[in-house]
Each structure stands twice: as C-alpha cells, then as structure tokens.
Amino acid sequence: MMRVWLGLAWAGLVVLPWYGLEAPLRAISALQPEALPALWQGRVWLWPLAIPLLMAIPGRPRLLALSGALGLAWLCIEGLAIGHRGWGAPWLGALFGAPGPTQPALGWGAAVYALSCVMLAAIGLARQGWCRGDVFVLGSLLLVVGLIVLFVGFPVVSILTSAVRDNAGGFAPDLFAEKLFNSSIWGLDCLVGTHACGVAWNTLAQATLVGVLATLLGLAFALAALRTNLPLKPLLRLLSLLPVITPPFVIGLALILLFGRAGVVTNFLALHFDIPRSRWIYGMPGITIAQLLAFTPIAFLVLVGVLGAVSPSLEEAAQTLRAGRWHTFRTVTWPLIRPGLANAFLISFIESLADFANPLVIGGNFNVLSTDIFFAVVGAAHDQGRAAVLALVLLAFTLTAFMAQRAWTGSRSYTTVTGKGDAGLSAPLPGPLRAACYATVLPWLVLTVAVYGIIMAGGFVVTFGRDNTPTLDYLWTAFSIERGVGGWFLSGSGWRSFITTMELALIATPVTAALGLLTAYLLNRQNFMGKGAFEFLAMMSFAIPGTVIGISYILAFNVPPVELTGTGLIIVISFVFRNMPVGIRAGIASLSQVDRSLDEASQTLGARSFRTLRLVIVPILRPAIVTAMVYSFVRAMTTVSAVIFLVSGEYNLATVYIVGRADVGEYGVALVYSAVLIVVMAAVLAGISAVVGRQKIGRRGMLAADQPVVVQA
Amino acid sequence: MSGPTSRLRMLAVAAGLFGLAALVPRPAAAQGSVVIYCGVDEAWCRAMATTFEKQTGIHTDMTRQSAGEIYARLRAEKDNPRGDIWWGGTGDPHLQAAEENLTQDYKSPQLGQLRDWAQRQAERAKFRTVGIYLGALGFGYNKEDLARRKLAAPACWADLIKPEFKGEVQMADPNSSGTAWTMLATIVQLMGEEPAFAYLKRLNANINEYTKAGAAPAQSTGKGESLIGIAFQHDLIDVAKRNFPVQVVSPCEGTGYEIGSMSLIRGARHPEEARKFYEWALTPEAQKLGALNRSYQIPSNTATPVPPEAPDLSRIKLIEYDFATYGSSATRTRLLGRWTSEVKNAPR
C-alpha cells in the first residue's frame, strides 16, 4: 500500500508533466519545457520536493506522516511564493529582489504528488494508531478535508483578501472600510426620504417577505394535502417536483409574459376593464411572486414531513377532552409544527438571499446583493473589491441564517409518531381555516399551471400574446440539424451549450454522489477529532450563494498555482462542491436508519472498513445513492448563479445561454430551450426511477422529513 | 448482487465513460485555433465564427458578451490573457483597453480601403484598434401604444423629458452598456455637462428601468413593455423588421454614434490565427455577414455594400463625436461616477 503511493509520488515528480492541466499532450509533443516533470525543469525550488520521499521509510510511521506533511507544505509554500510573473507577494520581492523566478500553473504531476503525500501522511498516522489504525478512513478523511480546503476554503479566503485590496492589488484597509460601510449598501434613506434604500436592506426585506409568505403558502398546501379531502395529493406531488427541474429564471420570464406591461393578463384587463397598464411586476412584486413559485414547494415538503409526524392520537386526546376543532389546532397541532415552520422559513429565506436569476430577469430597478455582485464584476465599472465586499455581506447573511437553522432543527425533536398504537384519525381542520386554505391553494394552483403552461407553450408561438400563430422557428433556431458536405451536423445555436451541459453534468454526477456519500459515511460511522468542524465545513458550501462561489472561483483560480478558469474542470468542480451537501444529507439520513451492528458484524468477520463499506453499506445506501445522483445531475443542469462567471466560449452552459437570450429580449428561443431542458430532465428522472425502482424515490420525495432540500440559487 | 444494484452500477459506469470521453482534450484542429470575444448580436457573432472556421479550417472558440463585459474580462485576465481577438462592440471600451495597453498595435495592409471614420478610430488608439462598423444612436417608440394613448410622437431628445412620458422611457445602464454610455456622452456633448446632467435628472423621472444590455430597450419597446426605448438605430430597425410596431427616431438636435471596433489582445496565445481573423474580418466578404444576420450597421470597408436597411446617414444629424475625450478612462470614470450618484441613485 505504502509502496504504491510512494511510487506514485515519485511518478508525479519524475514522469508526469509538472505544469499545465490544459492539453498537456499537445505541450509534450511540442517539447515545451513546462511540460517536463518537476525534477527535469531546472527550477531549483522544486528539488526539495524529493526530500520527503527519501525520508519515507516503511518501518518508521512517524517519519512517514512527517514526510507526507512536509511534501504538501513545501508544495503550498513554493506554489504561493512563486507566481507566473515573479514573487507571489511584494515583501518577497523586497527581500530577494524583484522580479524573481516564475512558474506556470500546477499540472497533473503536481496533483498526483499532492494526492500521494496525503495518502503517505494517512498511512503514517494510521500506523501510529489514529482512527483505530484504519488507513481507508484516515485517507478519505484527509482527502475530503483537503479537497474542501482547496475548493471551498481557499476561494473564500481569496474573497477576503481581495476585499481588502484596491483594484491595483495593493493593501487598502481604508478603502475596504469605505466600501463596506458605503451608503449604497447600508443606506436607510427610503425610510425617511425618497432615495432608494441600501442593497443590503433590500435583500433582507425581500428574503424576509419571501420566507414568511413561502412558509404560509407551504403550510396551506400541507394542510390541504393532509387534513382535507381535496383530491390534490398526486397533483401536489408533481408540482413539488417541478421547481427542481425548472431552470430558475424562466419563472420570471413567464411572469413578464403574463403580467408585464404588455402581458396577456394586463392586456385583457386593459381591454375589458380599462385598468391602466403598468410595470408593477418589475421589482419587488415580481421577484416575490417568482421566488414564491420556486420556493413554496420546498417549504411544502418540509411542512408535510412535520405535519405528517404529528400523531393523530394527541389531537384525538384533545378532542376527547372536549376541545373544539379550533382549540385543538391552536393548542396541540400548531405548537407541534412550530419548529417545522421555523425551518421552512429559514430555508426559504436562505434560498431567496441566494437567488440570482429571478432578480436578474424581473428585478427592474430593485437591486439585491446577488445581482449587484454580478454587475460589480461584469459592469464597465469593474470593481472586484466591491464585488468581494458585497459577497462578504451576503455570505454573512446566509451563514447566520444557516447556523440559526441548524440550531433550531439540531437540538429539538417534536416527533410524536412512535410506531406504537397510532390508529387515530387526524382532526379535521376548523372551518374558517379550511376555507382560508382553499382560498390560498386554489388560485395559487391556477397561477402555477398558467406559468408552466406559458413556459412549455410560449416558445412555440410567434410572439406570445401578440401573435399566437404556432411556429417551430425558435425550436429550429436553437436545435436545428442540417445536412452539409460532411454529413449531418448540429447547426442550431443551442446545441453546443446543451451538449456541454449534459457532458459536464454527467461527469459531475458520480463524483458528487461518491464524495457526498463518503463524507456521510465518515460523519455517521466514524469518530474523530474536530468532527463538528468538519461537518460544518462540508455543509457550509450549501449556504454559500452561487454568485459568491462564482466570484471567489474567479479570484482564486485565474492565476497559478491553481489555474482553472476557462476549463470545463472548474465548472465540474463548482458543481461537485455546491451539490455535495445533498449527497451528505441523503447519506446521513439513510445511514442513521441502519444499525451499526451490521458494520460490526462485518468487521468481526475480519473485513476492514473499505470492504465493509463496499459490501455492506453501499448496497443498503442504494436509494440514497440514486437520490444524490439524480439531484446532483438536475441541479447541475439548472444552476446559473455560480457558473455564469465560469463559462467560456468552449464551455458554455445551457442556463447561461438562456439568460443571455432573455437578456436581449429573445424570449422565444429562451422559452423553447427551457422547455427542452425541462422535458429532458423529466425524462432523466423518469428513466432513472424506471431503472432503479421507482417506489423508493417516490416515497422519499414526499414523506421523509429530513429529505435533502433541493433548489436552485 | 441484486438486479437493480447491478443496473445501477451499469448506469454509473455508462455515465462515467461518457464523462471520461468529455474530459479527454478535444482534438485540436491541425490549423490551430483562435479565441474570439465577440461584442455584437449573437447571430452575427456565430456567423462570423463559423464562416471563418469553414474557410480557413482554424478552430474558433467564440464568447459573446457586451462590450463592457469584455473590457472587464480583459482587465481581469490581463496577467494571463485567455482571448486572442476582441471583435465588435462599441468603440469606447476598445479605446480604453488600448489606452490601458491591454491590446496590441497592428497596422493592417487593408487600412487604406476603410472609410475615414474607421481609420481615425485606429489612429486615436495608436493602431491598437480599428473601426469595423458605424451605428447611429436614436430612440424608438411603440406605434400602437402611442396611438392608443393619443400622445404626440417624440422627435427630439427634449421630448423625452415631457411629463406625459413619465415611467415610459427605457434605457440601458451606462455602467454596463456601451450603448448607454454613448447616449450619456452624446447628451454631454450636445448640451454641455451641467445642462446635460439637469436633463438626465429630469429624464430619470421618466425612466422605467435601466437595463443591463444595450439592445434590451429596443426589444422592450417592440414587445410593448416600454413605450420608448433609447438604443442604437440598427437594433431598433432589427426589431421593426421582425414585425413589431416600432418607429425609429433620429433625434432632431443631432445624435451620437458608435464606431464598432476590433482589437488584437496583447499577450494572446494564438497571435498568428488572431491576425488572420483580423485581416479576414476587414474584407468586404466578411463584413457582408452583418446585414445577412439582421445587423444593419454601416460597414467600414468602402468596398462592402451598405445594406439598404441601414440608417441613411444623409438624413441623420451626426454630432462631432469627440472620441478622444469620451473614450478616455478618466472622463469615463468621472462621468459614470457622477451619473450613478446624481442621476441613478437620485430620488424619483
């Protein structure tokens, strides 16, 4: 084992090209010196990398652990100290003389070397008795931590450092303070004067409004589904899946077509009731409706779980004690679902904070943090420092809400279904409440159906609302296939982004699921120091808004030592680390249902942890694996906020392409493309459930209270 | 092992194989490749890239973004440029990039064949850019909407601040859009800075939205989401040609214009191929692709036929646009800062 990793480490130094991830083969064929392995580079600072490998002696575990650590440490130090244009920090230049040596970005050799060092350290530590001497556990633990530090921690730190610098790169704390406390972020003029309020307050107000309304709507739906005899359940189940497979911004688009100044409903009202046309939908009202359409199903899923866990026998007891329906609801049901309400509120709140696409499409002049971050980077003003500051503010908001949510749901259990004698029937709702439920649910259902009707049909008419002649022009523009000289080829403008999206999503899917479930296994089955911190780190990437991830990836990975911008790899990585928490939650939820005695039995029979994992746990986790794979695929297909910063000409993505079309007003193409995406994803979902057994996915989608909650940001 | 598990495994293997196939570096064309940052309409960008690829065999990698976004990208990537050539988009950011030494000077042998405004653009930038088309600024209104409201048609910049158009005018945000920056600079040159800002503040009361993209107001006007949209005339003509009720107006006081430009990026990874594209893009054959893809600007090569749909320059009052001043970073930063604080963030 140890010899294998040691050999790989040597291979990384002596055989593989040390620099350059992009097309290393081409570089080798051109005999570029950068493509040479580290030790043949003639770069003196790479030679010490061999020392730890000479130190690694099989019989000396302490030395082995040390050598792995030293190798990694020197790799980080030399990588950060020597950039592609000389010294990585000005003080090094002052010390050793500018401009200093240069080196390009690390490549495959460096990656293999780093991985081997991690494994050598793990072997060394395991042989000293850490983690009961289990190399597999220790190795995966160090690996996951290393990856999270590199792809979550390092970018966030880059944002922090970029926030305190000016545009030229100098250290400027005054500028940072000025930017942080700028009135455009924190101004409260809208309360007293007629100026617009600061963007931070806008964002908070928007998120609070959406959080409250989504929770109430979700509650109404949950009550209607579980406590009335409305024949809604199959429909609700379908509707709760829809937002997952909807590209996030098309809801805003559909709302414009319905309620915009020239929208269908507006036209109708203006023609028949003489109600003047207005642009009321642009801004807070539009964002609120769009986000409610997207996030209510999540609140619904949470609340259905909680409401389903309220034991009918308690309510029956109350009624036996002669409490009326209303009294029962108020004193028994309501207190029991309160934590669920808080949870639903916080999740909707976080999602609204992070939502990028809807404010972009329908926000009008109403600014929120996520879009402001985007414009600070891409706008002509181009102020990365400001973008970083805004990102920090947004990050502070989401992390606070995230921690509040964990504190709420972590320590309390309000579950009353015990499995013992639960034969009762749930109390019917009090009359007024039932009426209120119907009055909310039915119009909302009509709106949802109208919105999705437009999304599916809007791309197949000339101009929705103006000229409803059916046409296939937009479909043809985006997805035409022509026969040319060299045979059939895909000539539509959407093919390239569509295929790239499928490819990258399919690469990311197994990696995301594997990494997520491995992490879940470590968290659920192993005990180690700093487990709480590890869990927090792993789940945190879920709370980091996509725009923040996007900007931080640009800041961290545009220049050596790790240079990834413009590649497909960076998009895959952003998919993996944004969606991994879904796999973690699904894995933990399943693992906690499996008794540890199974693992112990396997281990008693002499299997080590890897074998146990492979033969005992993975087969049991099958539904969780499917959940994780499905969701990471679908999320990768529909995400826009992070990747809009990361796409390039070669690697453009479907969602970014659609946003671009919508941005210049070509709604036909945008809608047709979205409809195609929705159909494809629905087919993938149906296909996977047909292959691996539909029932389990179905039940998870509806009932599990700690179901991984999935939405787009 | 149970059936579903092995099927699951097959699924995972299939996904993995498909993924691996994509990770393998895509075959590089024998003729090399070129990374184009394109600043005009998507259809035109795509036609340019594919036609060039077809004719030369050079693999093209095209990204379409607004001029402001490309400029921002160039600045972000200046330590490590990814693009080779920046083709299209309004001229001011090109001039700014030239001033900041982000682009490479180059004198094309075809320079003499270009119209004089295109040559002057090159001279201004010390030959770090060159003009490829000219587009005049203007505004458009929705004819149906105007008739329904029984309002007089606006004909001048001054008409746009009339109270009856309150909340009816749309323009892009000059911070992100080259189009809107041209409008801001035009108004300042027409009226002088102080009266111009007084005008813009009054106009602000009539603006319903500052969009991000320069062409968006033209689209909104066509769809009836806005009554009036300020944009380049060729964008408005494009919307009108698609059977939307848009009337294009050339303001009576005179109007500014853009010189869409092309620049070679300094430190490009494929300088040879970029130069080939540069030369090709100046030929009449390449410039004809604009009109074919519904972009009705006036092309810069004298030998390229002017599309009949293009705005008739003899009927437009063009101002003496001072590109040297209004293309410089200092002026731009100052005016944008002033506009943002005094106009955009002003009370409504």
Side-chain angles (χ1 to χ4, degrees), chain B residues 150-209:
Chain B
K150 300 187 181 66
L151 294 172
C156 304
W157 290 117
D159 291 338
L160 298 187
I161 56 173
K162 284 182 179 167
E164 62 254 39
F165 294 131
K166 186 166 172 56
E168 303 284 8
V169 185
Q170 197 168 91
M171 68 180 274
D173 187 328
N175 283 307
S176 68
S177 152
T179 310
W181 163 250
T182 306
M183 185 264 181
L184 175 57
T186 298
I187 297 293
V188 170
Q189 290 173 72
L190 268 174
M191 307 181 182
E193 187 167 332
E194 291 311 317
F197 272 89
Y199 171 86
L200 290 167
K201 274 180 223 167
R202 289 180 63 191
L203 180 64
N204 183 50
N206 285 359
I207 295 285
N208 52 41
E209 183 182 346

Side-chain angles (χ1 to χ4, degrees), chain A residues 261 279 282 380 563 664-665, chain B residues 82 145 175 219 223 225:
Chain A
R261 191 169 169 283
R279 293 171 50 92
Y282 293 93
E563 184 187 317
V664 294
Chain B
R82 304 248 160 209
D145 214 4
N175 283 307
Q219 295 277 351
K223 294 197 164 69
E225 290 294 316

Side-chain angles (χ1 to χ4, degrees), chain A residues 90 162 164-172 175 179 382-385, chain B residues 75 78-79:
Chain A
S162 157
V164 295
R165 289 195 193 150
D166 56 22
N167 264 351
F171 181 66
L175 201 65
K179 278 175 179 160
H382 185 58
D383 192 343
Q384 281 197 348
Chain B
R75 282 185 59 168
K78 71 167 182 275
D79 287 339

Side-chain angles (χ1 to χ4, degrees), chain A residues 146-160:
Chain A
L147 286 174
I148 290 180
V149 165
L150 181 57
F151 293 117
V152 181
F154 178 51
V156 171
V157 171
S158 302
I159 277 217
L160 281 169

Side-chain angles (χ1 to χ4, degrees), chain A residues 494-511:
Chain A
W495 280 116
R496 190 149 173 183
S497 55
F498 182 76
I499 292 169
T500 310
T501 309
M502 289 292 276
E503 276 177 2
L504 297 183
L506 281 176
I507 300 172
T509 299
V511 182

Side-chain angles (χ1 to χ4, degrees), chain A residues 84-85 194-195 261-262 279 282 365 375 380 466 493 503 506-507 563 565 649-650 661 663-665, chain B residues 18-19 26 42 46 61 63 79-80 82 144-145 168 175 208-210 212 219 223-225 345 347:
Chain A
H84 64 301
R85 298 239 154 148
T194 42
H195 273 69
R261 191 169 169 283
R279 293 171 50 92
Y282 293 93
N365 292 316
F375 290 130
R466 255 186 68 79
S493 63
E503 276 177 2
L506 281 176
I507 300 172
E563 184 187 317
T565 46
E650 194 77 18
R661 299 297 84 214
D663 212 40
V664 294
Chain B
F18 192 43
R26 300 182 181 193
E42 165 88 21
R46 219 156 41 78
D61 171 357
T63 309
D79 287 339
N80 195 8
R82 304 248 160 209
E144 285 178 6
D145 214 4
E168 303 284 8
N175 283 307
N208 52 41
E209 183 182 346
Y210 292 107
K212 182 186 138 231
Q219 295 277 351
K223 294 197 164 69
E225 290 294 316
N345 294 338

